[in-house]
Amino acid sequence: MANVSNTRGDITSHPDAPEMRARYDRMMGGRDVALVDGPMFLLGLYCAASPWILHYTSSQPSLVVHNLIMGIAIGVLALGFTNSPERMYGLSGALCALGTWMIISPWIVGSSPDTGVVLNSIIIGALAVVMGMICIVTAAKSTSRA
């Protein structure tokens, strides 16, 4: 009878172990911001859809276009962090800038916005700033390790 039991051997003696380890390190090398890119994409999606969710499309038409563009920009940054994080570390500060702009934009782009519109923009902006700061900190840690 054949021995079909699942015995896990030590892979360190495998001839391709160093190459597999190096490939794994290369693939996971820039994934320090993996915690942030999913929520960042959802934040961009919400920012783009928020005028319709909060029903201010008729009262603030300029903010509708603004939030749609800003949401797309945040979403594109998130996709960039997902696809090539090692190349996107330099744009971590851009997310902070987008968040800061979102905080002040209701008064600049909008015309006498109500409290709900202002709070929506402030919360989106604050979350973007926090996520951008997390990306900046992880980028600083990863460059100091290298």
Side-chain angles (χ1 to χ4, degrees):
M1 204 134 152
N3 182 7
V4 291
S5 62
N6 187 9
T7 58
R8 296 181 72 93
D10 189 16
I11 196 167
T12 56
S13 62
H14 192 279
D16 294 331
E19 180 185 345
M20 290 187 292
R21 189 170 293 117
R23 182 181 299 165
Y24 179 78
D25 289 341
R26 262 193 331 268
M27 295 298 290
M28 296 304 288
R31 296 301 302 153
D32 294 339
V33 294
L35 177 70
V36 179
D37 53 1
M40 188 189 315
F41 182 75
L42 291 176
L43 181 69
L45 186 64
Y46 173 75
C47 181
S50 65
W52 292 274
I53 293 171
L54 297 177
H55 305 290
Y56 62 88
T57 55
S58 61
S59 65
Q60 298 289 332
S62 57
L63 278 175
V64 171
V65 174
H66 172 267
N67 280 16
L68 182 63
I69 292 169
M70 292 297 289
I72 291 170
I74 292 171
V76 166
L77 274 176
L79 290 176
F81 279 118
T82 301
N83 290 335
S84 58
E86 65 281 348
R87 295 176 67 190
M88 295 292 291
Y89 278 144
L91 291 176
S92 300
L95 188 59
C96 291
L98 289 176
T100 304
W101 173 251
M102 279 300 296
I103 291 172
I104 62 173
S105 66
W107 296 284
I108 297 172
V109 178
S111 56
S112 61
D114 62 352
T115 307
V117 174
V118 170
L119 281 177
N120 181 55
S121 290
I122 289 174
I123 291 170
I124 290 171
L127 287 172
V129 168
V130 167
M131 287 182 200
M133 294 303 283
I134 291 171
C135 289
I136 288 172
V137 168
T138 53
K141 284 182 184 176
S142 70
T143 56
S144 67
R145 268 189 265 146

